[in-house]
Amino acid sequence: MAPYAATPQRPEFWAALDSAQQSALRAAGRPRQYPVKSPLVYQGDESDHVIIIERGWAKVTSATENGHDVVLAVRGPGDLLAESAVLGGRPRTATVTALSPIRALVVPAARFTGFLDEHPDVWMLVTGTFVKRLDDSDRRLRAHVTSRGTRRLAMLLAELAERSVQHAPPAPDGSIEIGPPLSQEELGSWMDASRETVARAMHGLRREGLIRTGWRKITVVNLPGLREFAKEND
């Protein structure tokens, strides 16, 4: 297989800061560890701090009126969490739960806004985070309307592989292990599809030689082929 060629990605919030800005935020916050399945923030809580993930992966979920949790996104190393609630002065709109052990930096709201006042250029990074997340949501909504389940899964796994390879290099054969350990139920919730639909789509992608799977483990064997599959099956 040809060597993996990375598609240019917008750096995560932390990676986009310079060393002085990172030092200032570290001085304003405190480190914290979160075990698997523990909540980092709860939907509906008051917004008194932001979190920057240094290591590990988390899922963002929102509770529906009938009590089901819907997966909205996955966050990983370098991501800023809960900033919109803090800056908007409103309760948190989602719950964030650790998918793997997480090491994070927790910064009180007043210290974070003070940091932004002292480093006004960082406001553009925060704004860029808002815009990227809106773009991601819009793209997945369009895919839901126009694409079959297998293509939606291929698109999602390609995006996750692109994100994962920023933090762990591909294997010698070019395969990429997806970092967030998502179950089929979680993938289905994120795609707005049933577990059965995800299982069928996984089978189809395995049959095409594009992925390998194990328990909460997905390896993209051929990322360029996965991208092409998603385009061809529009």
Side-chain angles (χ1 to χ4, degrees):
M1 183 185 302
Y4 167 72
T7 300
Q9 299 284 315
R10 181 194 295 269
E12 292 87 3
F13 174 79
W14 184 257
L17 300 176
D18 63 33
S19 58
Q21 292 164 345
Q22 290 179 349
S23 295
L25 261 185
R26 285 195 185 281
R30 64 184 188 280
R32 183 169 175 182
Q33 307 278 344
Y34 297 88
V36 178
K37 296 184 179 181
S38 65
L40 282 69
V41 298
Y42 283 106
Q43 182 176 349
D45 278 0
E46 294 301 315
S47 310
D48 59 355
H49 64 275
V50 301
I51 298 173
I52 301 166
I53 298 178
E54 296 185 311
R55 183 181 62 204
W57 299 90
K59 63 178 178 180
V60 182
T61 61
S62 180
T64 63
E65 292 182 358
N66 59 9
H68 293 296
D69 286 335
V70 177
V71 177
L72 304 177
V74 166
R75 304 289 180 238
D79 274 334
L80 177 65
L81 304 177
E83 77 289 345
S84 61
V86 163
L87 297 177
R90 55 187 173 82
R92 306 193 191 284
T93 57
T95 295
V96 182
T97 307
L99 289 167
S100 64
I102 284 179
R103 184 183 69 204
L105 181 67
V106 178
V107 184
R111 292 188 178 184
F112 183 68
T113 54
F115 165 80
L116 292 177
D117 289 340
E118 293 173 5
H119 301 84
D121 51 326
V122 179
W123 275 105
M124 291 301 296
L125 298 179
V126 176
T127 302
T129 298
F130 292 153
V131 172
K132 181 179 183 299
R133 290 174 182 175
L134 287 173
D135 288 346
D136 288 345
S137 296
D138 288 345
R139 186 171 61 255
R140 292 200 178 98
L141 179 59
R142 290 195 300 270
H144 171 66
V145 173
T146 63
S147 307
R148 294 177 297 174
T150 304
R151 179 179 184 265
R152 298 209 308 274
L153 181 62
M155 293 172 61
L156 180 57
L157 294 183
E159 291 175 9
L160 288 172
E162 292 279 7
R163 178 71 191 277
S164 298
V165 82
Q166 295 180 58
H167 306 289
D173 65 357
S175 63
I176 301 167
E177 183 175 335
I178 288 177
L182 293 160
S183 67
Q184 290 187 358
E185 288 88 350
E186 288 164 336
L187 285 169
S189 176
W190 197 358
M191 292 168 50
D192 193 19
S194 68
R195 183 184 181 280
E196 291 72 20
T197 297
V198 174
R200 287 194 299 270
M202 287 279 197
H203 177 73
L205 296 176
R206 284 195 301 266
R207 187 177 60 240
E208 295 288 333
L210 298 173
I211 65 170
R212 295 192 301 265
T213 60
W215 188 78
R216 282 185 176 264
K217 180 179 179 180
I218 303 171
T219 301
V220 174
V221 177
N222 180 356
L223 181 54
L226 189 64
R227 291 197 203 102
E228 192 61 31
F229 179 92
K231 293 177 183 177
E232 291 176 351
N233 287 269
D234 197 342

